[in-house]
């Protein structure tokens, strides 16, 4: 159980992020979640979490902004007293073949998906080090492990998260802080909703478990990594993809 812990979850207003917030709250954690701009979705998530009897607050922030994320962490510490769990889930896509990808297409995705995680780790690490405890979970992707046509920017960012995860695990492990990554495969979210049904059906046939994953499938693994049972696990990348990339 995570009763009394405070979790900071980026990209927490919908999809996988919302599922993570709900699962951590189910286990008793108070939730500070970050959203980029969809206030309606943020309000929906807050309402769901408040029904679970935990403390909740939503924060609007551009995670790619170093100064803004520093202010965010300061605000969460002031509102909740401390941060115990950091889930770097915020992400974006801008898919194009590399011959058609603009500089901004590449830079903007790296800024959100990779630099955003660095920013949050950078600003929360001092608090973790003082307490000699903390759990960091970065949401990467199968694309970061295998590559994916049309996703040079996204795959590069998610691959970068793997290197960031392992480095942070080595740097902070001596103070009892763990850092792991979760790599989802095909999951039913807004990102996969744009794919036509034939693509999803073809994907199902390639997946040994013969189904597209649900956000809850990711949330359960994240919650495990935040719990007592994972205290001796760090620097790992756990693929949650139904066996697609085994």
């Amino acid at each position: 159980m995570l009763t009394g812990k405070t979790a900071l979850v980026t990209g927490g207003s919908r999809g996988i992020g919302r599922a993570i917030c709900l699962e951590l709250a189910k286990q008793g954690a108070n939730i500070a979640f970050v959203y980029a701009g969809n206030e309606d979705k943020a309000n929906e998530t807050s309402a769901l979490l408040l029904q679970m009897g935990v403390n909740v607050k939503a924060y609007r922030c551009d995670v790619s902004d170093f100064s803004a994320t520093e202010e965010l962490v300061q605000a969460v510490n002031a509102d909740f007293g401390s941060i115990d769990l950091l889930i770097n889930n915020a992400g974006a896509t801008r898919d194009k073949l590399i011959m058609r990808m603009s500089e901004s297409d590449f830079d903007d995705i790296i800024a959100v998906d990779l630099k955003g995680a660095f920013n949050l780790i950078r600003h929360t690490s001092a608090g973790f080090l003082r307490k000699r405890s903390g759990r960091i979970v970065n949401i990467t992707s199968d694309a970061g492990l295998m590559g994916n046509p049309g996703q040079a920017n996204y795959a590069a960012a998610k691959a970068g998260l793997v290197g960031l995860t392992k480095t942070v695990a080595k740097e902070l492990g001596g103070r009892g802080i763990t850092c792991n990554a979760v790599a989802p495969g095909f999951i039913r979210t807004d990102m996969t909703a744009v794919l036509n049904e034939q693509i999803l059906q073809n994907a199902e046939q390639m997946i040994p478990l013969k189904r597209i994953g649900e956000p809850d499938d990711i949330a359960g693994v994240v919650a495990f990594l935040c719990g007592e049972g994972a205290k001796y696990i760090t620097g790992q990348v756990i693929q949650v993809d139904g066996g697609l990339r085994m």
Side-chain angles (χ1 to χ4, degrees):
M1 296 297 289
L2 301 172
T3 304
K5 303 286 188 182
T6 294
L8 174 55
V9 183
T10 68
S13 64
R14 53 186 173 169
I16 290 173
R18 177 185 284 185
I20 290 169
C21 288
L22 291 170
E23 183 61 35
L24 296 179
K26 187 188 299 182
Q27 298 197 23
N30 299 313
I31 306 294
F33 74 89
V34 181
Y35 68 102
N38 193 326
E39 192 167 348
D40 289 340
K41 291 293 186 183
N43 289 338
E44 287 176 11
T45 301
S46 293
L48 291 169
L49 291 166
L50 286 168
Q51 292 173 11
M52 303 179 76
V54 299
N55 294 330
V56 179
K57 189 166 182 178
Y59 301 81
R60 185 171 182 170
C61 182
D62 175 2
V63 297
S64 71
D65 186 320
F66 187 82
S67 296
T69 51
E70 183 175 24
E71 293 173 3
L72 165 71
V73 170
Q74 291 171 349
V76 175
N77 278 316
D79 293 337
F80 288 85
S82 68
I83 298 168
D84 304 288
L85 318 168
L86 171 64
I87 317 301
N88 285 307
N89 170 72
T93 56
R94 200 176 295 173
D95 296 353
K96 291 177 185 173
L97 293 174
I98 199 162
M99 289 180 65
R100 298 176 181 171
M101 187 173 289
S102 70
E103 182 179 16
S104 62
D105 288 332
F106 190 86
D107 290 349
D108 292 350
I109 298 306
I110 296 293
V112 173
D113 293 27
L114 179 55
K115 182 170 180 275
F118 161 76
N119 288 342
L120 269 297
I121 294 170
R122 170 67 174 77
H123 297 313
T124 56
S125 58
F128 290 152
L129 288 167
R130 281 195 298 271
K131 293 190 304 177
R132 302 183 73 89
S133 68
R135 301 293 172 85
I136 302 167
V137 182
N138 298 318
I139 307 301
T140 179
S141 169
D142 269 0
L145 304 177
M146 306 294 293
N148 200 33
Q151 289 193 314
N153 48 6
Y154 182 75
K158 294 301 188 178
L161 272 178
V162 173
L164 178 64
T165 296
K166 292 177 179 293
T167 298
V168 170
K170 289 183 176 181
E171 289 189 4
L172 304 185
R175 292 292 186 95
I177 301 155
T178 68
C179 184
N180 292 288
V182 175
F186 279 98
I187 306 295
R188 290 195 187 277
T189 65
D190 290 348
M191 284 188 184
T192 56
V194 301
L195 301 175
N196 67 51
E197 195 58 34
Q198 188 60 53
I199 291 175
L200 294 176
Q201 288 176 5
N202 291 343
E204 285 181 340
Q205 293 309 306
M206 294 188 295
I207 297 169
L209 291 182
K210 301 303 180 187
R211 70 175 178 87
I212 303 297
E214 300 294 337
D216 287 349
D217 294 319
I218 307 303
V221 177
V222 172
F224 167 72
L225 291 172
C226 290
E228 189 66 15
K231 63 185 177 183
Y232 201 56
I233 299 173
T234 197
Q236 301 305 303
V237 181
I238 301 177
Q239 293 176 249
V240 186
D241 60 7
L244 178 62
R245 306 295 187 188
M246 73 170 72

